[in-house]
Amino acid sequence: MKMKPLVWPKIALPWLMLISVVHLTAQSAAPSHAKIQLIAEQTTATAGKPLWIGLLFQLDPGWHVYWQNPGDSGEPPKVQWQLPQGFTAGSILWPQPIRLGTGTVVDYGYESQVLLMAPLTGSTGRATLPSNIAADVKYIVCREMCIPGRTHLTLTPPPNGDWSRWRALFDQTRQLLPKPMPPGWKVSAESDKSSFVLSVRGTSQIRSASFFPLEPDQIDNSSRQAFASNRAGFQLTLKKSDQLVKPISSLQGLIVVAPDRAYEIAAPVISR
Amino acid sequence: MTKRFLIPATVALTILFQLSPAWAAKVGDTAPEFTATDTNGNLHKLSDYKGKFVVLEWSNRGCPYTQKHYNSGNMQQLQRQWTERGVIWLTVISSAPGKQGYITGTDENAYVKQVNAAPTAVLLDPTGALGHLYDAKTTPDIFIINPQGTLIYSGAIDDTPTTDVADIGKAKNYVAAALDEATAGKQVTVSTSRPYGCSVKYAD
């Protein structure tokens, strides 16, 4: 008995090496650059509250997936939930994105890791997480090149059954979800021939900000956004998109003021 | 012979490129003039094609969105259908050296043959000058110029921004629709759309 642990690896090692070589070869033939898992926050909901499920994307360095408005290229991940009867999933809550690219092609998305979370509601007041949830996910992951992917996911339990691991990811993600605009803010967008001047009044705290449009074809993604603060608040000058052919009544999107702080705005557009 | 013209062409493109931020091609405006070299070393000037419809199609064979339209035969069919009707179809490759999709003329000619593509010519734009002149963002990204030299369409090939070949049948093809309308003397209904695809692999 005592000998076994010593002898076994000697015999097994060449085989293990062979297996791992074969495994590595198979992996490098089709690297996906994205590991995606379907996870849940908890197994039982608080009474009257939804359960939360999510798609956890873990990306190789430099690779990214896209926000709901991908910007100039790419497309956001799409999910089709498969839920047992009596359960419904709400829309994905998109954490605040980052700006990707520096040249004339600029995208909005996520690098390294992102959790796309959605509420799951049961028909009973106090829902218990069904084990047979599944998701079909279509996505594209890009670095310099793009690789489309399609995967069928079932629930991945947390490592070692430690639900606090998954819970922590949901909590971290909530910090990155855009918040409603502060109650004291007043927003509007003045439209001239080539740009929108987005004005935020009612704040003196903001030292820098950038705008992420919810809709494509409204602003030119790659143009610099000029920030100017004034006594009433601040202004961002946004170049119009060449694809913007009709006047718009409202400019919707996020004002990002810090890596963990974004506000949802819908600014009425005023023609100048 | 061709070699002689290459240097002036490069100079011309460089000058145009420097002017490009103020010039970015816009639907309804005169399409910016360019001179570019194809995979066989021949020069193509936009003004040479006055009196004809010209399609510019940005391409990158490594991009899954481009592959969607070539693996399905969709792009080749459009190229064939419209070049047979006298339209000049210029595929443009703006991948910089060392970037995905960069290719030599010889290799691209072999590829065109392999996938049975039917453009009038494939323009090689490794400096990105032509791409920046038209502000091409993605592969594919398509521009249509009418016989008077006006840009009449800019944007996506169709209305379904995915990499799925299965979506092609259900999609509304903007390029076919624009060419159908314009060649029949009608106004183009959808004259601009958001191009979708991979980013054009310009030099850093």
Side-chain angles (χ1 to χ4, degrees):
Chain A
M1 280 301 280
K2 267 186 183 172
M3 286 296 283
K4 262 191 178 169
L6 287 172
V7 174
W8 184 78
K10 270 189 191 162
I11 302 164
L13 201 58
W15 290 103
L16 282 174
M17 281 171 70
L18 185 64
I19 289 165
S20 57
V21 164
V22 169
H23 186 64
L24 279 174
T25 314
Q27 275 197 327
S28 59
S32 74
H33 301 290
K35 181 184 176 192
I36 312 169
Q37 291 169 286
L38 171 56
I39 67 171
E41 185 177 26
Q42 69 280 82
T43 52
T44 312
T46 315
K49 297 249 173 95
L51 290 155
W52 288 89
I53 52 175
L55 304 172
L56 176 64
F57 287 78
Q58 288 166 306
L59 305 161
D60 285 352
W63 291 80
H64 56 260
V65 291
Y66 295 90
W67 185 47
Q68 60 191 122
N69 171 12
D72 287 329
S73 72
E75 64 185 287
K78 290 186 190 75
V79 60
Q80 240 175 348
W81 304 106
Q82 284 152 26
L83 308 170
Q85 204 159 17
F87 283 88
T88 47
S91 306
I92 284 173
L93 303 188
W94 300 85
Q96 67 180 76
I98 58 167
R99 198 180 149 101
L100 302 159
T102 50
T104 54
V105 182
V106 164
D107 300 321
Y108 307 123
Y110 309 100
E111 285 181 332
S112 72
Q113 179 170 300
V114 65
L115 175 63
L116 302 179
M117 55 192 276
L120 179 70
T121 319
S123 53
T124 59
R126 196 180 158 88
T128 303
L129 182 71
S131 58
N132 56 342
I133 299 177
D136 282 315
V137 184
K138 278 205 267 185
Y139 62 95
I140 187 151
V141 55
C142 302
R143 184 175 161 171
E144 192 200 303
M145 54 193 227
C146 296
I147 301 172
R150 184 192 278 256
T151 180
H152 177 81
L153 302 172
T154 52
L155 269 180
T156 302
N160 308 318
D162 178 5
W163 282 87
S164 67
R165 294 274 290 269
W166 282 170
R167 205 155 51 232
L169 289 175
F170 282 85
D171 280 339
Q172 287 161 22
T173 303
R174 284 192 182 93
Q175 303 302 311
L176 298 173
L177 296 180
K179 316 265 178 304
M181 185 176 88
W185 280 24
K186 274 208 160 74
V187 291
S188 61
E190 273 192 48
S191 167
D192 63 26
K193 192 169 176 291
S194 61
S195 56
F196 294 110
V197 179
L198 178 61
S199 292
V200 177
R201 279 161 297 151
T203 172
S204 55
Q205 312 294 321
I206 309 295
R207 295 283 164 264
S208 72
S210 52
F211 179 72
F212 289 71
L214 205 53
E215 297 292 326
D217 302 349
Q218 294 187 342
I219 73 159
D220 187 74
N221 300 307
S222 60
S223 290
R224 196 177 78 89
Q225 301 184 354
F227 175 88
S229 59
N230 52 40
R231 282 167 67 183
F234 63 89
Q235 287 188 329
L236 278 171
T237 304
L238 311 167
K239 187 177 179 288
K240 284 183 178 174
S241 162
D242 286 342
Q243 272 106 45
L244 184 65
V245 284
K246 286 184 198 144
I248 54 168
S249 60
S250 161
L251 192 60
Q252 293 181 44
L254 306 182
I255 289 185
V256 174
V257 297
D260 58 351
R261 184 49 56 113
Y263 297 114
E264 286 167 343
I265 62 141
V269 173
I270 308 147
S271 289
R272 195 151 51 177
Chain B
M1 270 306 275
T2 6
K3 265 266 162 76
R4 269 193 183 174
F5 290 102
L6 278 175
I7 290 160
T10 313
V11 172
L13 275 174
T14 310
I15 294 163
L16 288 172
F17 172 43
Q18 283 162 355
L19 291 170
S20 71
W23 274 40
K26 228 176 168 174
V27 169
D29 293 350
T30 300
E33 169 71 326
F34 62 82
T35 306
T37 311
D38 72 15
T39 48
N40 299 309
N42 300 316
L43 291 182
H44 295 259
K45 247 168 95 172
L46 179 61
S47 51
D48 290 345
Y49 297 120
K50 210 141 206 183
K52 292 186 170 182
F53 283 94
V54 177
V55 175
L56 301 177
E57 173 226 337
W58 262 263
S59 187
N60 178 345
R61 67 200 240 186
C63 164
Y65 293 93
T66 304
Q67 288 165 359
K68 170 190 180 184
H69 295 286
Y70 276 94
N71 292 350
S72 60
N74 188 38
M75 195 70 83
Q76 298 92 316
Q77 192 244 320
L78 277 174
Q79 292 167 345
R80 204 155 267 119
Q81 180 189 349
W82 290 102
T83 51
E84 278 170 8
R85 293 179 57 180
V87 170
I88 303 296
W89 188 296
L90 302 170
T91 300
V92 187
I93 299 174
S94 294
S95 295
K99 298 277 187 165
Q100 186 198 37
Y102 173 75
I103 196 165
T104 63
T106 317
D107 285 350
E108 178 61 17
N109 284 341
Y111 178 73
V112 165
K113 211 167 171 185
Q114 182 203 322
V115 300
N116 198 23
T120 309
V122 181
L123 305 181
L124 298 178
D125 178 41
T127 65
L130 183 52
H132 286 299
L133 187 60
Y134 278 77
D135 200 17
K137 302 271 191 195
T138 58
T139 52
D141 191 351
I142 294 186
F143 298 82
I144 305 175
I145 299 148
N146 74 7
Q148 291 75 45
T150 304
L151 186 65
I152 55 164
Y153 179 79
S154 149
I157 180 167
D158 63 29
D159 67 351
T160 310
T162 65
T163 54
D164 245 341
V165 167
D167 290 331
I168 291 175
K170 296 172 271 177
K172 177 178 159 50
N173 193 302
Y174 290 138
V175 174
L179 284 169
D180 270 331
E181 289 171 331
T183 54
K186 292 183 200 151
Q187 191 79 22
V188 174
T189 315
V190 180
S191 60
T192 181
S193 69
R194 174 184 173 263
Y196 73 84
C198 310
S199 56
V200 175
K201 310 306 176 194
Y202 292 119
D204 291 326

